[in-house]
């Protein structure tokens, strides 16, 4: 006897038609006309942030940028399920989540321009900065969630990662700990089908969500290009976390339409036909078709959304180009929690080097790059 096949949760089809799903539709029953339009605006603005940042990198204004093109619904839907006191542990691609959490568009590129070691203040929005160490945020999120539970905080914690990171030992260890100790963390896997040039089929012989079952963690697979479906399942998982129900796993099926980063050329490892297939499942087109079907769309809304996207893009571009270079002496800030004699000596020697003191070497002090 075979198990009944489980299909990804979907509430809106690519052509904009609603899907009958009593359980999950009930979780977003409060999303009326105005909030549907607001979600559409979030999607459009998120894409504009991404295209503007990509353009800035191509123009030499950023050193690197990790595009999120095609993944807007997975990020916006999950981010809008969060409460202000919930905590987010991101990877490096969650610019849309950061926008929804309230990050100033002008701060989104600070790290990628090389002007700072961070983009925003994590304490201000309860969200960590972009994390380049693949998968490590799963451990951080699990520890935070467990500590919050010990403190009696009724919050949710969410960890974002990709299909490639699901093969990292850090994610496996995090799920093992979370399951054993009931840590209230939501593992949110954006399965965009490509870990740089490695297709998802080499990450797992079964759907990634099934890995969670082996740890005793409940999981769900969702259409990651359906913003309402993502909102519904994330709300469900976060409610479980806040009520002491332990961890959950969400696999959002989406697609990275662009390169892994702006240093990548996806045409070298994937076919245009595959990209074209996913283009027909575009999350923004899907949401607009839903609005049109339900008579919630007109030219005034289109102008309003476009104006907001233009405003955000202008803020991002202007702030990036006008961003001041950091003081070189800040290199020594936040290295140790307490004063350290070696660092003090390096700071002194580097200051003399920068000042061009004739009594110093023409090279920077040992251990410090010019």
């Amino acid at each position: 006897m075979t198990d009944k096949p489980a299909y990804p949760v979907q509430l809106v089809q690519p052509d904009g038609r609603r899907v009958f799903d009593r359980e999950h539709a009930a979780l977003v029953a409060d999303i009326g006309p105005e909030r549907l339009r607001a979600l559409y605006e979030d999607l459009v603005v998120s894409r504009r942030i991404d295209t503007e940042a990509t353009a800035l990198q191509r123009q030499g204004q950023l050193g690197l940028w990790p595009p999120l093109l095609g993944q807007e619904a997975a990020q916006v839907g999950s981010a809008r399920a969060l409460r202000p006191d919930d905590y987010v542990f991101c990877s490096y691609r969650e610019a849309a989540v950061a926008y929804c959490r309230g990050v100033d568009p002008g701060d989104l590129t600070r790290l990628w321009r090389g002007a700072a070691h961070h983009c925003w203040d994590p304490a201000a929005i309860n969200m960590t900065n972009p994390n380049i160490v693949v998968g490590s945020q799963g451990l951080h999120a699990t520890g935070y969630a467990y500590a919050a539970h010990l403190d009696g905080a009724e919050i949710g914690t969410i960890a974002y990662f990709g299909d490639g990171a699901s093969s990292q030992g850090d994610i496996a260890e995090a799920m093992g700990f979370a399951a054993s100790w009931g840590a209230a963390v939501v593992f949110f896997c954006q399965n965009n089908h490509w870990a740089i040039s490695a297709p998802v089929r080499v990450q797992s012989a079964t759907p990634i969500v099934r890995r969670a079952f082996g740890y005793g963690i409940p999981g769900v697979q969702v259409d990651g290009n359906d913003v309402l479906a993502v909102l519904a399942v994330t709300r469900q998982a976060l409610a479980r976390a806040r009520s002491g129900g332990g961890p959950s796993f969400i696999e959002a099926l989406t697609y990275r339409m662009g390169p892994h980063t702006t240093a990548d050329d996806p045409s070298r490892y994937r076919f245009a036909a595959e990209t074209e297939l996913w283009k027909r499942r575009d999350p923004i087109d899907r949401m607009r078709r839903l609005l049109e079907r339900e008579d919630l769309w007109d030219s005034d809304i289109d102008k309003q959304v476009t104006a907001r996207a233009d405003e955000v893009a202008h803020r991002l571009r202007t702030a990036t180009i006008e961003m001041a270079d950091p003081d070189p002496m800040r290199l020594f800030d936040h290295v140790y929690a307490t004063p350290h004699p070696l660092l003090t000596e390096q700071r002194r020697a580097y200051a003399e080097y920068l000042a061009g003191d004739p009594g110093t070497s023409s090279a920077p002090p040992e251990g410090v790059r010019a």
Side-chain angles (χ1 to χ4, degrees):
M1 181 177 178
T2 59
D3 294 333
K4 180 180 178 181
Y7 297 99
V9 175
Q10 185 184 74
L11 294 178
V12 181
Q13 297 181 55
D15 64 2
R17 289 181 295 171
R18 298 266 190 171
V19 176
F20 179 73
D21 181 334
R22 184 179 289 109
E23 175 189 358
H24 295 99
L27 294 166
V28 290
D30 61 313
I31 307 299
E34 289 306 311
R35 296 185 70 180
L36 286 173
R37 294 189 187 107
L39 286 171
Y40 176 77
E41 180 179 292
D42 285 339
L43 295 172
V44 173
V45 172
S46 295
R47 179 163 295 180
R48 185 62 186 280
I49 286 172
D50 185 62
T51 55
E52 195 69 28
T54 299
L56 284 165
Q57 193 283 329
R58 299 307 190 200
Q59 294 160 8
Q61 298 295 335
L62 298 179
L64 190 74
W65 179 255
L68 61 91
L69 183 65
Q71 299 180 219
E72 295 88 356
Q75 294 192 23
V76 169
S78 56
R80 288 307 183 192
L82 295 161
R83 295 175 182 173
D85 58 347
D86 292 333
Y87 211 99
V88 178
F89 289 81
C90 67
S91 66
Y92 44 77
R93 203 183 300 278
E94 282 74 43
V97 177
Y99 169 74
C100 291
R101 293 295 280 175
V103 171
D104 185 320
D107 289 336
L108 288 170
T109 58
R110 286 165 55 84
L111 171 68
W112 307 108
R113 188 170 170 83
H117 292 300
H118 62 279
C119 290
W120 55 80
D121 177 4
I125 61 166
N126 284 350
M127 178 175 175
T128 59
N129 270 272
N131 177 54
I132 307 299
V133 183
V134 177
S136 63
Q137 69 273 21
L139 289 169
H140 305 155
T142 301
Y144 187 94
Y146 183 60
H149 172 73
L150 294 179
D151 284 345
E154 296 180 359
I155 66 167
T157 302
I158 188 167
Y160 288 92
F161 55 95
D163 47 295
S166 71
S167 295
Q168 291 288 333
D170 285 358
I171 295 296
E173 293 165 11
M175 289 198 291
F177 187 98
S180 297
W181 294 94
V185 59
V186 177
F187 295 99
F188 193 96
C189 176
Q190 291 181 82
N191 179 358
N192 66 17
H193 286 76
W194 288 94
I196 310 183
S197 60
V200 69
R201 65 178 179 273
V202 306
Q203 305 295 339
S204 179
T206 65
I208 292 174
V209 69
R210 293 191 180 182
R211 290 181 172 181
F213 303 157
Y215 294 91
I217 297 176
V220 62
Q221 198 177 59
V222 63
D223 183 339
N225 284 11
D226 177 353
V227 69
L228 282 182
V230 175
L231 176 62
V233 299
T234 310
R235 279 181 167 182
Q236 190 175 47
L238 288 168
R240 172 183 168 85
R242 297 187 192 107
S243 64
S248 301
F249 191 103
I250 297 171
E251 180 188 3
L253 297 173
T254 183
Y255 193 80
R256 168 170 57 78
M257 294 297 293
H260 174 70
T261 71
T262 47
D264 171 44
D265 177 8
S267 67
R268 296 178 62 186
Y269 55 80
R270 69 185 187 192
F271 296 109
E274 179 180 285
T275 306
E276 185 60 32
L277 172 66
W278 280 92
K279 187 177 181 180
R280 295 197 291 271
R281 303 171 182 173
D282 185 86
I284 296 179
D285 291 346
R286 182 182 312 205
M287 194 62 176
R288 190 187 67 252
R289 288 165 184 154
L290 172 66
L291 294 174
E292 290 171 344
R293 281 181 175 275
E294 300 188 356
D295 295 324
L296 301 175
W297 177 262
D298 56 41
S299 59
D300 289 339
I301 295 171
D302 187 23
K303 292 177 182 177
Q304 175 185 322
V305 171
T306 300
R308 173 58 180 164
D310 288 344
E311 175 191 346
V312 170
H314 176 74
R315 168 63 183 153
L316 186 148
R317 172 170 285 274
T318 302
T320 298
I321 294 174
E322 295 178 353
M323 202 172 289
D325 291 335
D327 179 353
M329 293 307 297
R330 291 188 61 191
L331 175 70
F332 301 93
D333 295 345
H334 312 299
V335 177
Y336 293 104
T338 56
H340 190 285
L342 177 61
L343 192 69
T344 300
E345 172 57 24
Q346 286 188 342
R347 183 193 296 270
R348 181 199 62 75
Y350 195 48
E352 291 179 354
Y353 165 75
L354 292 175
D357 190 318
T360 65
S361 168
S362 61
E366 184 178 352
V368 178
R369 290 185 177 182

